[in-house]
Amino acid sequence: MVNENDIKHLRRCVELAKMALKKGDEPFGSVLVSADGEVLFEDHNHVAGGDHTQHPEFAIARWAANNMPPEARSNATVYTSGEHCPMCAAAHGWAGLGRIVYASSSEQLADWLSEVGVPPARVRNLPIQDVIRDTAVDGPVPELAEEVRKLHHALHGGNI
């Protein structure tokens, strides 16, 4: 169940996605929050240079694995503008991170990209739960998903 605190962190994710878009990158942003509510790490996509593994959720998993003990990781929450791709979901699982909250789903993203004529990605869109188990997952959040849709349409030249 998504609460007001979750919405606050998801709004920051959307802001980070907007920053990525302004920098010429794909609009994705993510935030790692500790069990006590402290923002520990945030990032946005860095794939414009050609390395398509430079997703913010993957960066969070790496940072957490190197900077947090296992118990702190399992009690942390990852907020993100878009549902984790399979690569990021696997990294999340291997790092032992806790709950995931996302603004828009991978299914929504696929539909939005199809609307503006972008062919399907090489990597399949899978729900997070099809990649990792025993992780609480909440999303999408309709009012924020619409903001994310506009960012993706802007990236690909679609009407907003």
Side-chain angles (χ1 to χ4, degrees):
M1 181 111 179
V2 176
N3 61 39
E4 283 306 310
N5 191 53
D6 295 329
I7 298 292
K8 176 185 82 168
H9 292 300
L10 286 174
R11 287 193 191 289
R12 178 62 182 154
C13 293
V14 174
E15 288 174 21
L16 290 164
K18 287 177 185 174
M19 289 171 52
L21 183 61
K22 287 179 184 173
K23 293 179 179 181
D25 221 315
E26 294 179 5
F28 293 93
S30 302
V31 177
L32 175 65
V33 178
S34 70
D36 63 5
E38 180 185 358
V39 174
L40 301 172
F41 187 90
E42 63 181 31
D43 201 4
H44 59 72
N45 250 27
H46 297 279
V47 301
D51 180 352
H52 291 277
T53 66
Q54 295 298 315
H55 296 186
E57 304 88 351
F58 202 88
I60 283 173
R62 271 195 227 103
W63 185 90
N66 289 316
N67 294 284
M68 299 172 72
E71 185 176 343
R73 292 193 305 259
S74 69
N75 291 314
T77 301
V78 174
Y79 295 92
T80 189
S81 61
E83 183 177 11
H84 290 24
C85 72
M87 172 187 73
C88 293
H92 185 105
W94 289 123
L97 287 162
R99 181 175 175 234
I100 299 169
V101 184
Y102 59 86
S104 60
S105 72
S106 58
E107 182 179 355
Q108 287 173 312
L109 177 61
D111 290 344
W112 300 332
L113 295 179
S114 177
E115 289 170 3
V116 293
V118 175
R122 185 169 186 209
V123 175
R124 295 178 193 273
N125 287 327
L126 296 173
I128 294 166
Q129 298 91 328
D130 286 357
V131 180
I132 56 176
R133 42 179 152 257
D134 301 329
T135 299
V137 179
D138 289 301
V141 177
E143 63 272 20
L144 294 174
E146 178 58 21
E147 289 184 46
V148 175
R149 182 193 70 79
K150 290 177 182 179
L151 295 175
H152 286 283
H153 274 237
L155 175 67
H156 296 287
N159 292 325
I160 297 177

